[in-house]
Amino acid sequence: MFIVTLTYLKPNEEIDALLAAHRAFLREQYANGMFVLSGRMVPRTGGIIIADADSREDVEAVIELDPFKQAGAASYAITEFVPTMAADGLEALLPEHQA
């Protein structure tokens, strides 16, 4: 599992102009099963994506498709972690419950 931290590099007006394309990208990754959760930071300086992928390289390759990345509007930090506990209803995210 991976935590992807986006930090905006452009003013919010430029981020807003890319938002529809970015959200379409997110929806595609949810449909592909890679993204689990996402949202913006408070204050609005970037966002967080929780990704379930086989490798860091897979996450890096998908991030290259993000319109924010392609426009140079955000930088990305990727942190890999192994979940060991989950809230009720989220147990399927734990490695022992995945196929």
Side-chain angles (χ1 to χ4, degrees):
M1 187 114 2
F2 299 84
I3 300 170
V4 181
T5 305
L6 290 73
T7 302
Y8 296 150
L9 301 174
K10 304 277 182 160
N12 283 340
E13 297 77 28
E14 292 184 48
I15 296 298
D16 289 344
L18 296 165
L19 204 50
H22 172 71
R23 287 183 177 155
F25 158 78
L26 292 173
R27 282 191 294 276
E28 184 176 324
Q29 299 316 312
Y30 277 103
N32 291 340
M34 181 175 282
F35 290 176
V36 177
L37 193 65
S38 62
R40 64 182 165 121
M41 293 180 185
V42 177
R44 190 177 176 205
T45 58
I48 300 289
I49 299 170
I50 306 298
D52 189 10
D54 293 330
S55 71
R56 180 184 188 93
E57 292 77 19
D58 289 347
V59 176
E60 290 170 344
V62 164
I63 293 303
E64 290 297 321
L65 304 175
D66 187 348
F68 285 171
K69 173 77 170 175
Q70 293 175 345
S75 63
Y76 298 76
I78 301 170
T79 304
E80 184 172 5
F81 76 105
V82 178
T84 55
M85 296 179 74
D88 290 345
L90 298 177
E91 298 87 357
L93 297 175
L94 297 173
E96 64 265 20
H97 294 284
Q98 296 181 359

